[in-house]
Amino acid sequence: MRLNLSSQVVLNKVPEEFYKPKTAVDRSEITRMEKIPTDIFPKIEEAVASIADAIVDEILRKQHDGQFCVLGLGTGTSLTPVYAELIRRHKEEKVSFRNVVVFNAYEYFPLAPNAQHSAFGQLRERFLDHVDIDRQNIFTPDATIAQDSVHQYCQLYEQRIKTFGGMDIILLGVGRIGNIAINEPGSGLTSSSRLMLIDATSREESTLSFGTNEPVPPCAITMGVHTILSAHKVFITAWGEEKADIIHKMVEGSITDAIPASFLQTHNDAHVVIDLAAASRMTRIVHPWLVKSCQWTDKLVRSALVWLCQKTGKPILKLTNKDYNENGLSELLALYGSAYNANIKIFNDLQHTITGWPGGKPDADDTYRPERATPFPKRVLVFSPHPDDDVISMGGTIQRLVSQGHEVHIAYQTSGNIAVGDEEVARFMHFINGFNQLFGNSEDQVITKKYNEIKAFLAAKKEGDMDTRDILTIKGLIRRGEARTASTYNDIPLSRVHFLDLPFYESGKIEKLPMGEEDVRIVQALLAKIKPHQIYVAGDLADPHGTHRKCTDAVLAAIDEEKQKGEAWLNDCRIWMYRGAWAEWEIENIEMCVPMSPEELRAKRNSILKHQSQMESAPFLGNDERLFWQRAEDRNRGTAKLYDDLGLACYEAMEAFVEYKPL
């Protein structure tokens, strides 16, 4: 069973020459915009192997010379697969780490002597406890000391690194705001180890890394930028679309203390190792025509013309031969014969993505429509990772599908229980208790007992404490009720509303269990029952909590299993990927765009507002203070404006989709 198919979703198939050049000359040409050597791999496993090769080679070289190999190590989630590979090599290939000295890059501050969660604890759990490093050769900042002793302690920590001759290799991830270790924006090039206040975004990332609800301490003792740059070799890793923007700024942008990672441009042996998703904003991937000649596909031509329109401030049909020549796109003039020919081709391509009939228009010529006319009506299955992603991401499209007569099913993949605040539980429990007193004469001892238990637990609950299973169940019921209300508002019968409660989500913590075959079988059973003609699935794989990716992997794996069985219904099924409140599809990738009128956008907002528990108190809003309904409206209006700016039809708002074709 293939459980990670989302990692192979590549919208614009990137030619190998742009991430795996054959010669040094080719590499020099395609990396001309990059100021830090950057290696891009199609799969994380290949990237991890390359880092492990370099670390193991250095360890063995030092062993041969009878020397210590000094490593500086971070603990971000992007490093976990690297540590797993090093552990594998230790156990299966008998690589010894006896000559390795480790310096932990940072530790949260302050920590109690018996703190359950710490950066060093993560490092031990994910790496150190599984290899044969001498415990006397492992050093970490002491976060239990008094604050007025930290400065002197940091000086001693720096001196200890120098005693071993400095770090041979330091391995770190990069944060979404460009921090390396806990060097937040504003950290200077000459900064040494010190106490640092942790930025709110970094704290959120750290909480996700811990995988618990326990609050992250407000500060950290961290190696400084100068300390990191003093290492002989630096490796920075990043995986996934959520890191694409910061990787682009770090590698191709200017050196600035607003992005501490950009200081790596001054190092003579720094290496950025990423997957294709994390590289998706780099020039050689997204605008390859700026670095070398291209093999022009329809999508690449569309991407180039959209870029040219934005650069010149012109709509597509007003682009001239001069615009093409002055901006490095003369190849397209040779390919199409004139700017007009290229303009009209891409204008028509984009025009054909717009449809008011997302389920297909009956009795119409569908040659240039995104969806086929038959069968009509269609059975439509919308997968929603959380109980509100359906209306946030495609609420307008759902309303269109229902009003046009299609049989629409909504499958809520997880309970969403950890995203409900305790005050919501208290409010519902007060209602239940009051109802019991008014209409049950307080005779239901089960309700009374459970009410008192939950009331006592919530009163004594401390920040970071895990909820009891009863409370998680109540929170799940709250989300179910909201989802039913929103579905009813959209005229979807409750018989077509499915709650899958995938087991991987039910850890009670931020960090979920691995998505496995049990989850896939639940999805597969629903697919086999409904046999849909259309499937909608989450494509926003950059969500910060990772649930969307696991939910999408479960759907794609289930589809793959059905395909392997040769199920006939798949031959007449199309799969569309939507994006939620985190990002929108790039216009060159959009294959179906559904317009909304002001009234339809208002109706979409109303359906989102049915999820009352997710309004003011919803967690995981990230660095964006807008609520999800505000994000959704701004995103949908932004898509419509982009189409308008390109000279296409002008709508109030639009929802965009990309087709997924099973591998």
Side-chain angles (χ1 to χ4, degrees), residues 351-479:
Q351 186 70 45
H352 294 153
T353 65
I354 303 172
T355 181
W357 296 82
K361 188 174 183 178
D363 304 320
D365 180 1
D366 58 12
T367 305
Y368 297 110
R369 291 180 175 273
E371 255 296 354
R372 61 215 187 280
T374 57
F376 188 92
K378 292 181 174 67
R379 289 185 301 277
V380 179
L381 179 52
V382 178
F383 284 100
S384 178
H386 299 94
D388 58 355
D389 287 313
D390 56 330
V391 289
I392 290 173
S393 305
M394 52 175 293
T397 302
I398 289 173
Q399 291 166 11
R400 281 286 180 96
L401 289 165
V402 171
S403 67
Q404 290 168 0
H406 299 285
E407 180 185 313
V408 178
H409 295 254
I410 309 291
Y412 297 107
Q413 293 178 266
T414 70
S415 67
N417 52 22
I418 68 163
V420 177
D422 292 342
E423 68 279 0
E424 292 290 325
V425 176
R427 184 164 68 89
F428 276 84
M429 290 304 297
H430 287 321
F431 172 82
I432 292 170
N433 189 53
F435 186 93
N436 184 43
Q437 291 176 354
L438 288 171
F439 300 104
N441 298 319
S442 301
E443 293 178 359
D444 193 324
Q445 296 302 310
V446 174
I447 290 179
T448 302
K449 179 183 177 184
K450 192 62 65 179
Y451 171 77
N452 290 330
E453 284 179 6
I454 292 173
K455 183 179 178 181
F457 177 85
L458 292 177
K461 183 180 177 182
K462 297 181 178 62
E463 189 177 7
D465 286 350
M466 285 183 59
D467 287 326
T468 63
R469 179 48 54 183
D470 286 340
I471 289 177
L472 288 172
T473 300
I474 292 170
K475 289 182 175 181
L477 286 173
I478 291 170
R479 304 247 15 213

Side-chain angles (χ1 to χ4, degrees), residues 153-163 192-193 224 227:
Y153 180 85
C154 287
Q155 289 181 316
L156 292 173
Y157 199 64
E158 294 264 351
Q159 186 57 48
R160 180 164 284 169
I161 294 173
K162 292 176 183 177
T163 300
S192 58
S193 297
T227 314

